[in-house]
Structures are given as C-alpha cells and as structure tokens.
Amino acid sequence: MTNDLNPLTDTPIDQYTHNHSFFLSLALQEAWRYQLLTFPNPAVGAAVTDGRGALLSVAAHREAGRAHAEVLAIRDAYIRLSGDGTLAGCDDAFLLHEELLKRAKTLFHDATIYVTLEPCAHVGKTPACADLIAGLGFKRVVIGAEDPNPEAAGGARRLRQAGIEVVTGAESAACEALIEPFVKWQRTGRFVFFKLAQTLNGILDGGTISCETSRRWVHAVRSKIDTLLIGGETVRQDRPLLDARLTGGRAPDVAIFTRRPESIDRTIPLFSVSGRHVTFTRQLPEKGLVMVEGGPGTFFALRDEIDWMVLFVAPFVKEGMGYNAPKKFRLLHLCRSGEDAMLWLGRETRMGNGDRIPPIPNDE
Ligand SMILES: NC(=O)c1ccc[n+]([C@@H]2O[C@H](COP(=O)([O-])OP(=O)(O)OC[C@H]3O[C@@H](n4cnc5c(N)ncnc54)[C@H](OP(=O)(O)O)[C@@H]3O)[C@@H](O)[C@H]2O)c1
C-alpha cells in the first residue's frame, strides 16, 4: 500500500491492486493473440515481475500439448535474470519444468507471477504448473479466474499449501470472458463463432476483403475447429476451397447450410479436398468447436445460436452488399490484425466484463 490518494475519490490508492490489474491486463492481451488456436485448451496468459515490481516477461499458451503460459513466462523471466539463453525457443513442457527446477533454484523467491487462469494442478500432456511455481518458491501468485475444469483445478490450494501468497479477484471478469469458449464447450459440448470480414462501411461481398494476416488467422483456426459451416449461397457465388493452405494445416470438415443441396455444383473446389467430409445441413452441428462463414442470410437464420463473432474490419470503403449489424453482441476484445481491426464480440447474456464497455453502435 502507498499513501497516495486517488484524485477522483480522495481515497488511498491500493498500489498492489492497481499493479495486479495492470500486469494481468498485459497477460490478457497476450492470451487473446492465441484465442481459439489453443483449442481444446483455454487461452491463457501470464506475466512475471521481480521483487521491485519490474516486468520480466509476458507469455501465452499457444497450442494444446505445448508448454502452458506460466512455464513460458517463467522460462523468459529466467533467461532475463540469468542471461542463460539456452532454453530460448524451447516449448517442451516436461523439459522446461525439469531444467527450470534445476537451474532457477532461488531466482524467483521474491518474484510474482500473474496468471489469467488458475495454474493447473494435474499432470496430463504437460506437468502441473502449480508444482513448478511451488518448486521455484515464488513469493506471490495473482490469479485472474478460477479453473472451471475439475480435473485441472486445485492449483490455488496447492500453492497456498506450499506457503505461497495467492491473490484472486483482480480482472476476474475479463479473465472469465477470455475462457468463455472453453467453458461453454466443456459444459455443453459446443461453441459456435461466426467469422465475418467487412469494409469500413459494412460491405461484405465483392471478393477478398481482409488482409493476408487476417486470412492467415482464419486458416490457422480452420485447422483447429471440428466443423466449418458455410452458407449455401456463399458456396454458390464464391466457389471456395475452404482449406488451411496459408498455414499448412488440416482442412476442416464442411457442412453446407442449405435447403437445396441439389443446387450446389459438385465441381466447386471445396469438394475436391482429400480426406474432407462434406455434408448438407439445415442446422448447426450439436457438438464441437464450430466456425460459421457465410453472408447475412446465414447469420440471420442462425443468429440465436451464435456464441461469439470474430469480425475483421478492413480500412477501406466500397460499394456492395451490406448487412444489419448483429443485435445484442458486445465488444470483448479489440486488436490489430495486420491492416485490419479484429473485433471479438460476445453475446450480451454470456458476457462477464461488458459493464465497462458500451454496446456496439448500429444494433438492429
Ligand atoms: N465478408 C464475409 O466475411 C463473407 C463471408 C461469407 C459470404 N460473404 C458473401 O455473402 C454473400 C452471400 O450471402 P447470403 O446471405 O446471400 O448467403 P449465405 O449466407 O451464404 O446463404 C444463406 C444460406 O442460408 C440458407 N438458409 C437459410 N435458412 C435456412 C434454413 N432454415 N435451413 C437451411 N438453410 C437455410 C440458404 O439456403 P438455400 O441455399 O436453400 O437458399 C442459403 O444458402 C456472398 O456475396 C458472399 O461473397 C461474405
């Protein structure tokens, strides 16, 4: 605590609370870069500070099966403090746990680690992060959201048992919003997001709209999803391939949303992707991580079942077909994607941190 006063409220500023929010926000920003790409794991970010509160590292979990955010942040903090760069670039969780426990025995005794999600307490594809943090004897762990996965939960208790100060409550709504896809998918078996690219004036058609960086993200996420549901009219007009060639990943199975399968030309490139399963459907799949690509017709028909939207806004205007901006979606996160703006929108009813952000304008 300091004796500084908040000029707005004339009350003492709790420096710790302030710092906790700041460093968790850095971890959140980093985690959003890998949102959905970590599926079936949640997106998680972490930051490490030294005993004086100086930032040592920020990192995020990037891919299921690879090292968790905490381990990568501790690895980078270790490199910063020790000058030993031999572990740089290594994201093998078992190797990092073993080496860090050997090499960084006393380096973190006055350090704090900030984690958007409670460190895991179970050994699965990777060792338990709580064991690494406890083994290195961190002074403090600041946790944004509790782990909703009963299998992995218990990290906070294990850390407290190891004598580490565990702080919760800071940025909890934002940290809970970050893991909403994971929580929804775990509880119901399904999470649905609608990906859309538009110009500044809301035009959706007339060829490629988003930049190469945005299209690479779409290709990367296509290889993580269970099903790509595409509007029938989009298939008829655009004759797409719908693979993941820009990132060299697996092409997803495709469900074509139409009442008239016979009207879809089977020479359209998406049918010739080897190993792909193509179906025709009148509804969303009941299970899995589902990405919807389509125009206004598909959005309108499925709007009540869409959990999130991922909206790319390209920095130009043109003439063409517009759409009514979706109702009851609120901004969760905004970032750059190359030349585009990338907006993550969540349904209002499922939002955690929406109170700080006004509803997006131009609602239906
Ligand atoms: N900018 C972007 O991100 C983006 C993405 C995709 C598409 N687009 C553009 O959007 C335009 C197409 O948009 P659109 O709105 O006309 O078409 P769309 O969204 O591709 O298609 C609407 C589809 O919904 C189907 N549908 C509606 N209700 C249904 C129900 N109850 N059961 C089954 N199917 C149902 C229709 O079926 P029927 O086939 O039976 O009519 C139709 O195929 C194209 O110009 C395309 O380039 C833009």
Side-chain angles (χ1 to χ4, degrees), residues 100-122:
L100 288 166
L101 284 168
K102 250 193 287 180
R103 299 189 199 187
K105 284 200 170 82
T106 57
L107 272 184
F108 294 109
H109 286 181
D110 61 354
T112 298
I113 183 162
Y114 297 85
V115 198
T116 59
L117 180 65
E118 182 179 356
C120 65
H122 88 303

Side-chain angles (χ1 to χ4, degrees), residues 30 97 107 162 183 200:
E30 189 65 13
H97 274 241
L107 272 184
V183 173
L200 273 183

Side-chain angles (χ1 to χ4, degrees), residues 263-305:
S263 70
I264 306 282
D265 176 0
R266 305 304 201 270
T267 68
I268 290 171
L270 73 89
F271 288 98
S272 61
V273 174
S274 95
R276 157 179 288 165
H277 193 51
V278 182
T279 50
F280 297 93
T281 186
R282 289 173 177 236
Q283 59 199 17
L284 281 162
E286 281 180 12
K287 296 285 174 200
L289 182 64
V290 182
M291 173 157 76
V292 184
E293 296 190 50
T298 300
F299 183 82
F300 187 77
L302 299 176
R303 66 194 183 287
D304 292 336
E305 295 181 86

Side-chain angles (χ1 to χ4, degrees), residues 330-350:
R330 299 174 88 182
L331 187 63
L332 296 168
H333 184 67
L334 170 65
C335 56
R336 274 192 83 137
S337 170
E339 292 147 31
D340 303 334
M342 184 180 189
L343 283 72
W344 293 85
L345 306 169
R347 287 195 89 80
E348 205 159 0
T349 48
R350 298 191 179 117

